[in-house]
Coordinates of all heavy atoms in Angstrom, one line a residue:
Chain B
P98 N -34.7 40.0 12.8 CA -35.3 39.0 13.8 C -36.8 39.1 13.8 O -37.4 40.2 13.6 CB -34.6 39.4 15.1 CG -33.4 40.2 14.8 CD -33.8 40.9 13.5
N99 N -37.4 38.0 14.1 CA -38.9 37.9 14.1 C -39.5 38.8 15.2 O -39.0 38.8 16.4 CB -39.3 36.5 14.3 CG -40.8 36.4 14.3 OD1 -41.5 36.8 13.4 ND2 -41.3 35.8 15.4
T100 N -40.5 39.5 14.9 CA -41.2 40.3 15.9 C -42.7 39.9 15.9 O -43.5 40.5 16.7 CB -41.1 41.8 15.7 OG1 -41.5 42.0 14.3 CG2 -39.7 42.3 15.9
C101 N -43.1 39.0 15.1 CA -44.6 38.6 15.0 C -44.9 37.4 15.7 O -44.0 36.6 16.0 CB -45.0 38.4 13.5 SG -44.4 39.6 12.4
E102 N -46.1 37.2 16.0 CA -46.6 35.9 16.6 C -46.5 34.9 15.5 O -46.9 35.1 14.3 CB -48.0 36.0 17.0 CG -48.5 34.7 17.6 CD -49.8 34.9 18.3 OE1 -49.9 35.8 19.2 OE2 -50.8 34.2 18.0
L103 N -45.9 33.7 15.8 CA -45.7 32.7 14.8 C -46.8 31.6 14.9 O -47.2 31.2 16.0 CB -44.4 32.0 14.9 CG -43.2 33.0 14.6 CD1 -41.9 32.3 15.1 CD2 -43.1 33.3 13.1
N104 N -47.2 31.1 13.7 CA -48.1 30.0 13.7 C -47.3 28.8 13.7 O -46.8 28.3 12.6 CB -49.0 30.1 12.5 CG -50.0 28.9 12.4 OD1 -49.8 27.9 13.0 ND2 -51.1 29.1 11.7
W105 N -47.1 28.1 14.9 CA -46.2 27.0 15.0 C -46.7 25.8 14.3 O -45.9 24.9 13.9 CB -45.8 26.8 16.4 CG -44.7 27.7 16.8 CD1 -44.8 28.9 17.4 CD2 -43.3 27.5 16.5 NE1 -43.6 29.5 17.5 CE2 -42.6 28.7 17.0 CE3 -42.5 26.5 16.0 CZ2 -41.2 28.8 16.9 CZ3 -41.2 26.6 15.9 CH2 -40.5 27.8 16.3
I106 N -48.0 25.7 14.1 CA -48.5 24.5 13.4 C -48.0 24.6 12.0 O -47.5 23.6 11.4 CB -50.0 24.5 13.4 CG1 -50.5 24.3 14.9 CG2 -50.6 23.4 12.6 CD1 -52.0 24.5 15.1
D107 N -48.0 25.8 11.4 CA -47.5 25.9 10.0 C -46.0 25.8 10.0 O -45.5 25.1 9.1 CB -47.9 27.3 9.5 CG -49.4 27.3 9.1 OD1 -50.0 26.3 9.1 OD2 -49.9 28.4 8.8
V108 N -45.3 26.3 11.0 CA -43.9 26.3 10.9 C -43.4 24.8 11.0 O -42.5 24.4 10.2 CB -43.3 27.1 12.1 CG1 -41.8 26.9 12.2 CG2 -43.6 28.6 12.0
V109 N -44.1 24.0 11.8 CA -43.7 22.6 11.9 C -44.0 21.9 10.6 O -43.2 21.1 10.1 CB -44.4 22.0 13.1 CG1 -44.2 20.4 13.1 CG2 -43.8 22.5 14.4
S110 N -45.1 22.3 10.0 CA -45.4 21.6 8.8 C -44.4 22.0 7.7 O -44.0 21.2 6.9 CB -46.8 22.0 8.4 OG -47.0 22.2 7.0
H111 N -44.0 23.3 7.7 CA -42.9 23.7 6.7 C -41.6 23.0 7.0 O -40.9 22.6 6.1 CB -42.7 25.2 6.8 CG -44.0 26.0 6.4 ND1 -44.2 27.2 6.8 CD2 -45.0 25.6 5.6 CE1 -45.4 27.6 6.3 NE2 -45.8 26.7 5.5
K112 N -41.3 22.9 8.3 CA -40.1 22.2 8.7 C -40.1 20.8 8.2 O -39.1 20.3 7.7 CB -40.0 22.2 10.2 CG -38.7 21.6 10.8 CD -38.9 21.1 12.2 CE -39.8 19.8 12.2 NZ -40.0 19.2 13.5
N113 N -41.2 20.1 8.4 CA -41.3 18.7 7.9 C -41.1 18.6 6.4 O -40.5 17.7 5.9 CB -42.6 18.1 8.3 CG -42.7 17.9 9.8 OD1 -41.6 17.9 10.5 ND2 -43.8 17.8 10.4
A114 N -41.7 19.6 5.7 CA -41.6 19.7 4.2 C -40.1 19.8 3.8 O -39.6 19.2 2.9 CB -42.4 20.8 3.7
L115 N -39.4 20.7 4.6 CA -38.0 20.9 4.3 C -37.2 19.6 4.5 O -36.3 19.2 3.7 CB -37.4 22.0 5.2 CG -35.9 22.3 5.0 CD1 -35.7 22.9 3.6 CD2 -35.4 23.3 6.0
R116 N -37.5 18.9 5.6 CA -36.8 17.6 5.9 C -37.1 16.6 4.7 O -36.1 16.0 4.2 CB -37.4 17.0 7.2 CG -37.0 15.6 7.4 CD -37.6 15.1 8.7 NE -36.7 15.4 9.8 CZ -35.7 14.6 10.2 NH1 -35.4 13.5 9.5 NH2 -34.9 15.0 11.2
D117 N -38.3 16.6 4.3 CA -38.6 15.7 3.2 C -37.9 16.0 1.9 O -37.3 15.2 1.2 CB -40.2 15.7 3.0 CG -40.6 14.7 2.0 OD1 -40.2 13.5 2.2 OD2 -41.4 15.0 1.1
W118 N -37.8 17.3 1.7 CA -37.2 17.8 0.5 C -35.7 17.5 0.6 O -35.1 17.0 -0.4 CB -37.4 19.4 0.4 CG -36.9 19.9 -0.9 CD1 -37.6 20.1 -2.0 CD2 -35.6 20.4 -1.2 NE1 -36.9 20.6 -3.0 CE2 -35.6 20.8 -2.6 CE3 -34.4 20.4 -0.5 CZ2 -34.5 21.3 -3.2 CZ3 -33.3 20.9 -1.1 CH2 -33.3 21.3 -2.5
L119 N -35.1 17.7 1.7 CA -33.6 17.4 1.9 C -33.3 16.0 1.7 O -32.3 15.6 1.1 CB -33.2 17.9 3.3 CG -32.9 19.4 3.4 CD1 -32.8 19.8 4.9 CD2 -31.6 19.8 2.7
I120 N -34.2 15.1 2.2 CA -34.0 13.7 2.1 C -34.0 13.2 0.7 O -33.3 12.4 0.2 CB -35.0 12.9 3.0 CG1 -34.6 13.1 4.5 CG2 -35.1 11.4 2.6 CD1 -35.6 12.6 5.5
H121 N -34.9 13.9 -0.1 CA -35.1 13.4 -1.5 C -34.3 14.1 -2.5 O -34.3 13.7 -3.7 CB -36.6 13.5 -1.8 CG -37.4 12.4 -1.1 ND1 -38.0 12.7 0.1 CD2 -37.5 11.1 -1.3 CE1 -38.6 11.6 0.5 NE2 -38.3 10.6 -0.3
Q122 N -33.6 15.2 -2.1 CA -32.8 15.9 -3.2 C -31.6 15.0 -3.5 O -31.2 14.1 -2.7 CB -32.4 17.3 -2.7 CG -31.7 17.5 -1.4 CD -30.2 17.1 -1.5 OE1 -29.6 17.5 -2.5 NE2 -29.7 16.4 -0.5
S123 N -30.9 15.3 -4.6 CA -29.9 14.4 -5.1 C -28.5 14.6 -4.6 O -27.6 13.8 -4.8 CB -29.9 14.4 -6.6 OG -29.6 15.6 -7.1
K124 N -28.2 15.8 -4.0 CA -26.8 16.0 -3.6 C -26.4 15.2 -2.4 O -27.2 15.1 -1.4 CB -26.6 17.5 -3.4 CG -26.4 18.3 -4.6 CD -25.9 19.7 -4.3 CE -25.6 20.5 -5.6 NZ -25.1 21.8 -5.3
H125 N -25.2 14.8 -2.3 CA -24.7 14.1 -1.2 C -23.9 15.0 -0.3 O -23.0 15.7 -0.8 CB -24.0 12.8 -1.6 CG -23.4 12.1 -0.4 ND1 -22.1 12.2 0.0 CD2 -24.0 11.4 0.6 CE1 -21.9 11.6 1.1 NE2 -23.0 11.1 1.5
S126 N -24.1 14.9 1.0 CA -23.2 15.6 1.9 C -23.3 14.9 3.3 O -24.3 14.2 3.6 CB -23.7 17.1 2.1 OG -23.0 17.7 3.1

Side-chain angles (χ1 to χ4, degrees):
Chain B
N99 178 56
T100 52
C101 311
E102 179 168 304
L103 292 169
N104 179 339
W105 277 92
I106 295 170
D107 283 352
V108 173
V109 170
S110 146
H111 296 155
K112 181 207 74 178
N113 292 340
L115 179 65
R116 166 180 274 275
D117 190 47
W118 190 91
L119 281 165
I120 286 171
H121 289 98
Q122 57 79 40
S123 60
K124 279 192 176 180
H125 174 256
S126 169

